[in-house]
Amino acid sequence: MGNTIRALVAFIPADCCQNYVVGDLREMPLDKMVDLSGNQLRRFPGHVCSFRELVKLYLSDNHLNSLPPELGQLQNLQILALDFNNFKTLPQVVCTLKQLCILYLGNNKLCDLPSELGLLQNLRTLWIEANCLTHLPDVVCELSLLKTLHAGSNTLRLLPGQLRCLRELRTIWLSGNLLTNFPPVLLHMPFLEVIDVDRNSIRYFPSLAHLSSLKLIIYDHNPCRNAPKVAKGVRRVGRWAEETPEPDPRKARRYALTKEEIQEPQTPAPPLPLPPTNS
């Protein structure tokens, strides 16, 4: 019964109602972490901004679309989770939290990111998957310490050349986008360890054997006719992944042609002419 009342009250954005949903959170937690995930919040409970020493704040899976300016008081915050909410734009106050190392923004309605995000020069991990991004925002290329970028399930068709400036980047997840070619910029990033381009529309893979740090390439669910060539010891996940170092191109072509023959409707052969009859 208590959970039912809590769920109903959460739909009323008044401060008193939102504070009721949060419960008796009145003092700074000893572990310096506040987790308000899944509370159906429509407004951020302002009294949390008084916890100046807070390090981790989880607001996932709510109904938030804005944050108060007072959030900027949390200058010790290192982890902020805003995923699974209703943000159409990233609140500017987030860009003032200069100690942030990990920022989760996935499963919102973001079409872009503000240029002020570049102020977060301590950011190591950025999750922007499952938004409305048609391009990778240029500001991402200014996050010089970024190690992990998750930009899957958007509608990206290409990546900016400036991405190669992120020399600390080790993992990039691009699954579920609209890439028709393997992003050329990734060929100039030998420091990458994991590349995920699963579920795109890539038909041809260039050789990745020169990427000396690469450990894993995921390329499954692409209409490709070859497997990416990789250095010894690199794990591949996708068609022909078990063949080393690269599948026979004749076999790949034969496989592709067979697929096309299966997919194309077969036209019935014309009937054979009847033999002449002796009259």
Side-chain angles (χ1 to χ4, degrees):
M1 184 66 178
N3 289 336
T4 303
I5 295 175
R6 187 180 295 268
L8 292 173
V9 171
F11 277 85
I12 305 174
D15 288 338
C16 60
C17 294
Q18 300 299 286
N19 289 340
Y20 170 80
V21 174
V22 172
D24 296 328
L25 187 61
R26 286 289 178 268
E27 296 181 359
M28 172 73 187
L30 294 177
D31 59 2
K32 299 182 179 181
M33 178 184 77
V34 169
D35 188 351
L36 301 176
S37 301
N39 276 293
Q40 303 187 50
L41 291 173
R42 293 179 175 272
R43 180 179 298 180
F44 179 72
H47 67 273
V48 174
C49 298
S50 64
F51 303 156
R52 303 292 180 87
E53 300 303 314
L54 203 64
V55 173
K56 304 175 184 179
L57 177 57
Y58 297 93
L59 298 169
S60 307
D61 193 17
N62 282 293
H63 303 284
L64 300 172
N65 56 27
S66 64
L67 295 172
E70 292 77 14
L71 190 74
Q73 298 173 14
L74 305 183
Q75 284 300 310
N76 290 298
L77 211 58
Q78 296 180 19
I79 300 176
L80 178 60
L82 299 175
D83 48 329
F84 292 93
N85 276 284
N86 295 324
F87 292 102
K88 293 183 178 180
T89 58
L90 182 66
Q92 292 285 340
V93 66
V94 173
C95 303
T96 69
L97 305 173
K98 296 184 179 181
Q99 296 304 313
L100 279 183
C101 297
I102 302 175
L103 179 57
Y104 298 105
L105 299 175
N107 289 271
N108 279 285
K109 302 172 183 178
L110 300 172
C111 295
D112 205 349
L113 295 173
S115 59
E116 291 81 1
L117 189 73
L119 298 173
L120 303 183
Q121 285 299 305
N122 284 307
L123 209 60
R124 265 75 167 177
T125 299
L126 177 62
W127 287 58
I128 50 176
E129 81 285 3
N131 275 285
C132 305
L133 299 172
T134 58
H135 67 284
L136 188 69
D138 290 341
V139 67
V140 173
C141 303
E142 300 175 15
L143 304 172
S144 59
L145 296 184
L146 201 65
K147 296 179 69 71
T148 299
L149 174 61
H150 194 329
S153 300
N154 283 285
T155 54
L156 304 181
R157 296 181 181 274
L158 47 83
L159 298 180
Q162 307 95 293
L163 196 68
R164 73 176 71 179
C165 298
L166 300 184
R167 302 191 64 82
E168 297 298 319
L169 195 65
R170 297 295 179 265
T171 302
I172 185 164
W173 306 91
L174 298 166
S175 62
N177 277 287
L178 300 177
L179 301 173
T180 56
N181 296 298
F182 185 81
V185 65
L186 301 185
L187 299 175
H188 301 282
M189 301 175 71
F191 37 83
L192 284 174
E193 297 178 0
V194 177
I195 300 174
D196 178 10
V197 289
D198 184 28
R199 300 184 186 280
N200 277 276
S201 301
I202 301 173
R203 292 187 172 275
Y204 171 77
F205 280 94
S207 174
L208 308 180
H210 65 288
L211 299 182
S212 55
S213 298
L214 192 64
K215 298 177 181 177
L216 171 64
I217 169 70
I218 305 173
Y219 63 95
D220 208 8
H221 304 98
N222 279 279
C224 55
R225 298 189 177 186
N226 73 313
K229 185 177 181 181
V230 294
K232 185 177 180 181
V234 178
R235 185 185 174 201
R236 297 183 298 183
V237 177
R239 190 183 300 171
W240 309 296
E242 298 304 318
E243 301 189 34
T244 305
E246 188 175 21
D248 183 341
R250 291 172 300 176
K251 188 184 297 183
R253 176 171 172 74
R254 186 163 63 246
Y255 181 90
L257 291 175
T258 302
K259 290 276 288 185
E260 289 175 357
E261 289 171 0
I262 292 174
Q263 292 172 357
E264 292 179 0
Q266 300 293 324
T267 56
L272 295 174
L274 295 173
T277 57
N278 295 324
S279 52

